[in-house]
Amino acid sequence: MPVVGGASAKADGADGVINVLNGSFRNTPVEALEARYPVTVTEYAIRAGSGGAGQHRGGCGIVRRYRFDAPTQLYLWLDRSITPAWGLMGGEPGLPPRVEIAGSVNRDDLLKANGILLAAGDRLSIMTGGGGGFGKAA
């Protein structure tokens, strides 16, 4: 699972931080994905509100939305998907990751997949989790 910035005693967590060394969600550039695969990235943004509340807010995760331009087999594995990033000293946890598929397959509970066949025009949304907050919110 990507590592987002949890809050500290002195500052809010960083938004959109991806651990590309050992996370299962890679921050591959949009241009590289679209050049190599039959996919169009329709959104790449900060997942607003995904960081845990607290005196200092946890960092927000990322949203990436894709449209498949040809039939595609989807392989997906988001680690650390059941337990969200926890808060410290009364801070709230961040939101857990979420994956949604719409089109010929409709799923909103999927975090692991092994070769689901998607049709041209199907849409996939991957929302990474947010970091935990620090301290009780005022």
Side-chain angles (χ1 to χ4, degrees):
M1 183 68 214
V3 176
V4 295
S8 71
K10 297 183 180 184
D12 290 346
D15 294 333
V17 176
I18 296 286
N19 180 350
V20 297
L21 297 176
N22 62 9
S24 57
F25 179 81
R26 300 288 187 241
N27 195 17
T28 306
V30 171
E31 299 82 2
L33 285 172
E34 292 180 346
R36 282 186 96 176
Y37 303 106
V39 64
T40 301
V41 177
T42 60
E43 182 181 359
Y44 185 20
I46 298 295
R47 184 182 179 196
S50 61
Q55 178 184 3
H56 295 288
R57 172 189 62 79
C60 292
I62 291 175
V63 175
R64 277 181 94 159
R65 298 187 199 281
Y66 307 84
R67 183 189 67 239
F68 294 96
D69 301 325
T72 304
Q73 283 197 328
L74 176 67
Y75 295 87
L76 177 72
W77 187 321
L78 281 135
D79 299 318
R80 287 202 63 215
S81 52
I82 295 174
T83 303
W86 55 85
L88 294 175
M89 305 300 290
E92 297 295 319
L95 291 179
R98 184 173 176 85
V99 175
E100 298 172 352
I101 302 172
S104 66
V105 174
N106 290 297
R107 298 283 301 265
D108 64 2
D109 61 343
L110 190 66
L111 293 171
K112 294 184 180 182
N114 190 15
I116 292 178
L117 183 59
L118 300 178
D122 284 358
R123 295 169 312 283
L124 169 70
S125 299
I126 298 177
M127 295 158 270
T128 67
F134 186 95
K136 292 187 179 187

